[in-house]
Amino acid sequence: MLKIRLRRMGAKKAPFYRIVVADSRAPRDGAFVEELGYYNPLSNPIELTVNNEHAVEWIKKGAQPTDTVRALLKKSGAIE
């Protein structure tokens, strides 16, 4: 099963996340199928960039977003 989830990047105590489509069995920072965008919670205001068209396509194909990613996709306008 494919998941749309966050992949942690950045330094210790300075997280930066990429929003990716990955197999649910793959490790958090492991292999992924496609990168959909990024999220930086430490900047003020937060940085959120998502390719909404690709996100909607992956959801239609059956990819399940995690709860956090679902909230971010709502914020970006990809889903309602």
Side-chain angles (χ1 to χ4, degrees), residues 6-17:
L6 296 176
R7 179 177 194 218
R8 191 179 195 281
M9 308 289 287
K12 186 199 289 190
K13 308 262 185 183
F16 176 85
Y17 299 95

Side-chain angles (χ1 to χ4, degrees), residues 47-66:
E47 277 183 72
L48 176 62
T49 304
V50 180
N51 186 335
N52 291 337
E53 295 170 1
H54 286 224
V56 170
E57 283 180 31
W58 279 109
I59 291 171
K60 285 180 183 176
K61 290 179 184 177
Q64 298 292 315
T66 61

Side-chain angles (χ1 to χ4, degrees), residues 13-40:
K13 308 262 185 183
F16 176 85
Y17 299 95
R18 290 190 180 159
I19 301 168
V20 297
V21 178
D23 190 318
S24 61
R25 297 169 294 184
R28 177 191 71 185
D29 298 335
F32 61 93
V33 178
E34 183 179 356
E35 184 179 326
L36 299 177
Y38 62 88
Y39 167 58
N40 185 357

